[in-house]
Amino acid sequence: MNILVIGSGGREHAIIDAIARSPKNAKIYAAPGNAGIAQLAECVNIKDTDVEGVVEFAKKKAIDLVVVGPEAGLAVGMVDALTEAGIKAFGPTKAAAQIEASKEFAKDLMKKYNIPTAGYAVFDDYAKALEYVKKEGCPIVIKYDGLAAGKGVVIAMTLEEADQALKDMLVDDKFGDASVVIEEFLDGPEFSFMCFCDGERVYPMEISQDHKRAYEGDKGPNTGGMGAYSPVPIITKEDLEYSYNNIMVPTAKAMVKEGVPFKGVLYGGLMKTKSGVKVIEFNSRFGDPETEVVLPRLESDIIDIFLDIVDSKKIEEIKWSKDVTLGIVLASKGYPLDYKKGFKITGLDGLDSKVFHMGTKMENGEYFTNGGRVLFVVAKGKTLAEAKEKALADTEKIKCDNLFYRRDIGHRALNK
Ligand code: AMP
Ligand code: GLY
C-alpha cells in the first residue's frame, strides 16, 4: 500500500506514527513533512494547499490513500479534487469543511438543529457590532469569521478590549476581509472530543484536553496549543454520553440533512459549563496537539479505520489502551507573536517519550527549529502524574537556546 499524508506538523507526525504501527507495512509519503516525519516517511516538497500538485503526485505514485491533515488543504477542496481523480482521500469535502472554515456556518447549523452552544450575533459593520457589545456587556467573545490559526478569538473583559478587537477585525482587516461572530462568554473546563465520522456513523475517540494559553497558569496569549493529555478525568461518563448523543451525532446528522455529509474527523471543542456541555467550536480535522496524545493510545489499525470511513463501511470496534498520555510543547521564544527560527536542537536521541516534530528541519544531520511550535514530547503512564513526570524529565533533556515550555500541563486534573 502507498499512503500519502498531507501536512508538516506534530499532528501529521502522530498520524504517520500510527500508520507505521499498522501490520500492513505501507510505504508512507508526506507532503511536505518535516525532519521528524522523515524518519518514518519519504518527504516530498509539495505545499499542503497545492491541490494540483498533490493530485498529480498521487497519480504518479499510485497512492492508495491520501490523509489530509491541515484545515487549509480541506478548505480549498483537496479531498474533492482527489476523489474526482479516483483517489481515496480521508477528510471532508470543501463544503463540509465549512463547519470549521466559517464560524457563521457552524453557529447557524447549531442554532437550526438545537445543538447547545453560546448565544451569538454576526456583524460586518463596526458601528453596529460595537453597539451590540455595549448592549450585551462584558466579558464577551469576539471571533474573526475565517481561518486564523487559533488566533482570531478575543475574550474581551472590558469595552476597550472589545472595541480594539472589532477595529482590528472589521476596520483594519487584520486577518482578512470577513465578518465577526460575537458570542456570549461561557465558563468551565474545556475538552476536545474527536470522532471518526463517515457521514451517518460517528465513532468516538478518547478525549483530551489542550492548553491554549502560552504561559503557565493559563496566562498570556492564545496559541495553537502548548500541551495536552488524555483522558480527561473531570469529564464524566455521563458528560461524554451527553456530548455524543446531543452534540456529535446530531451534528453529523444535520450535515447530512443540509446536503454536506461530513466524512473525516469531526472535532468538537466542548466546554462543561454549569448549564451543561456546550460547543465552543467545531474543527473539520484532527486537533493539534490533541492527536499526538490520543493516537498513541489507539490499538486498532488506523489504515483500516481510514479506509472504512472513506468507503462508508461499518466499523465494528475501535480499541484504545488504558494508558494515560501527557505531552509538552516546546515552542520558539516569542511564540505566538514574533519568533526566530534556525536554532540548533540536541538531546533528542534515546528518550523514552515519543517526540513528535511540529516545526523542525534537518541540515547536515543536525536538527534546527523551523516554526513557532517546534517539538512535542509525549509520555505514557499508568497515571497522569506518572506521565507528566516522564514527559517533563525528557523535555528537560532536550537542549536548544530558543525554546520555552510550560511545566504545568495537566494542572486542571492534577491540582484538584
Ligand atoms: P475557538 O477558536 O473558537 O476555539 O476559541 C479559542 C478559545 O477561546 C477557546 O478554546 C476558549 O478557551 C475561548 N473561547 C472561545 N469561545 C468562547 C466563549 N464563548 N466563552 C468563553 N471562552 C471562549
Ligand atoms: N488544538 C486546537 C486545534 O487543533 O484546533
Side-chain angles (χ1 to χ4, degrees):
M1 266 196 108
N2 295 316
I3 301 185
L4 169 63
V5 176
I6 308 300
S8 62
R11 164 183 49 212
E12 288 74 26
H13 195 173
I15 293 169
I16 288 169
D17 180 71
I19 293 172
R21 291 201 307 269
S22 157
K24 291 188 183 54
N25 213 355
K27 161 83 185 165
I28 312 171
Y29 296 92
N34 65 36
I37 289 173
Q39 296 162 6
L40 299 169
E42 186 177 328
C43 295
V44 288
N45 194 12
I46 304 172
K47 263 186 75 175
D48 63 10
T49 48
D50 179 358
V51 174
E52 273 173 34
V54 166
V55 172
E56 196 185 316
F57 179 83
K59 280 186 185 160
K60 194 170 85 192
K61 294 286 181 182
I63 299 292
D64 300 293
L65 170 70
V66 180
V67 181
V68 183
E71 59 273 26
L74 298 167
V76 294
M78 191 169 284
V79 168
D80 310 54
L82 286 162
T83 309
E84 234 163 74
I87 299 154
K88 288 188 186 200
F90 179 85
T93 59
K94 180 178 176 177
Q98 275 186 94
I99 198 158
E100 170 170 7
S102 165
K103 299 230 185 245
E104 188 176 356
F105 173 89
K107 293 299 280 191
D108 289 350
L109 187 88
M110 287 186 263
K111 190 172 179 182
K112 184 165 169 191
Y113 292 91
N114 278 321
I115 293 157
T117 189
Y120 73 105
V122 184
F123 295 92
D124 52 19
D125 180 81
Y126 164 74
K128 287 196 181 123
L130 189 62
E131 198 179 308
Y132 178 81
V133 168
K134 283 183 179 156
K135 186 177 82 173
E136 293 291 312
C138 288
I140 200 158
V141 182
I142 298 176
K143 299 184 175 183
Y144 171 71
D145 190 21
L147 296 177
K151 290 157 208 156
V153 176
V154 174
I155 316 278
M157 302 310 286
T158 64
L159 184 60
E160 287 69 37
E161 279 168 15
D163 189 19
Q164 187 59 51
L166 291 175
K167 276 193 187 122
D168 286 348
M169 293 180 200
L170 290 176
V171 182
D172 299 336
D173 292 340
K174 216 168 150 185
F175 302 104
D177 180 16
S179 43
V180 298
V181 174
I182 304 185
E183 267 185 25
E184 165 198 6
F185 174 80
L186 300 177
D187 199 17
E190 290 178 60
F191 62 104
S192 304
F193 191 13
M194 302 190 282
C195 295
F196 292 108
C197 186
D198 74 356
E200 291 286 344
R201 284 174 286 241
V202 180
Y203 305 95
M205 295 187 220
E206 291 285 319
I207 60 168
S208 56
Q209 187 173 62
D210 188 7
H211 296 58
K212 296 227 159 121
R213 301 297 197 103
Y215 313 129
E216 282 168 20
D218 295 321
K219 303 245 162 44
N222 260 325
T223 69
M226 293 298 293
Y229 62 93
S230 171
V232 187
I234 35 179
I235 303 304
T236 62
K237 203 167 148 260
E238 290 72 32
D239 294 330
L240 267 182
E241 276 169 13
Y242 175 87
S243 306
Y244 181 76
N245 292 319
N246 295 283
I247 296 175
M248 304 310 288
V249 172
T251 300
K253 288 209 169 112
M255 294 293 278
V256 173
K257 275 213 181 122
E258 293 295 307
V260 285
F262 189 97
K263 274 193 182 202
V265 174
L266 182 62
Y267 164 128
L270 309 182
M271 186 186 271
K272 181 179 175 171
T273 74
K274 290 212 169 66
S275 50
V277 176
K278 294 189 180 177
V279 178
I280 293 290
E281 66 165 349
F282 281 117
N283 289 326
S284 59
R285 48 159 177 91
F286 281 107
D288 195 356
E290 290 92 332
T291 304
E292 296 95 303
V293 292
V294 171
L295 288 188
R297 299 184 55 211
L298 176 67
E299 289 179 341
S300 302
D301 185 337
I302 201 167
I303 299 179
D304 289 338
I305 298 175
F306 286 149
L307 290 173
D308 288 348
I309 292 289
V310 173
D311 297 335
S312 291
K313 206 173 127 212
K314 188 164 187 242
I315 300 172
E316 288 310 327
E317 192 189 9
I318 299 181
K319 286 202 185 116
W320 301 94
S321 90
K322 294 256 174 293
D323 284 335
V324 173
T325 47
L326 181 141
I328 301 171
V329 171
L330 290 112
S332 295
K333 285 180 187 164
Y335 173 79
L337 306 170
D338 285 340
Y339 58 84
K340 295 199 180 79
K341 301 183 197 176
F343 291 83
K344 189 161 132 184
I345 311 163
T346 57
L348 290 174
D349 293 329
L351 302 180
D352 286 336
S353 305
K354 276 190 189 277
V355 180
F356 294 116
H357 291 230
M358 303 181 107
T360 59
K361 66 175 175 194
M362 184 172 258
E363 269 169 24
N364 303 322
E366 292 183 319
Y367 290 109
F368 291 88
T369 65
N370 195 36
R373 290 186 296 172
V374 175
L375 295 164
F376 192 38
V377 178
V378 178
K380 269 189 190 174
K382 291 279 162 256
T383 64
L384 194 60
E386 184 193 339
K388 181 179 173 179
E389 197 176 308
K390 285 188 187 167
L392 259 182
D394 278 341
T395 301
E396 279 161 10
K397 289 179 195 150
I398 297 173
K399 302 291 176 216
C400 177
D401 284 344
N402 198 49
L403 293 177
F404 78 100
Y405 56 91
R406 285 179 55 167
R407 301 182 57 87
D408 67 342
I409 302 304
H411 67 92
R412 286 188 208 85
L414 290 166
N415 306 334
K416 273 194 303 176

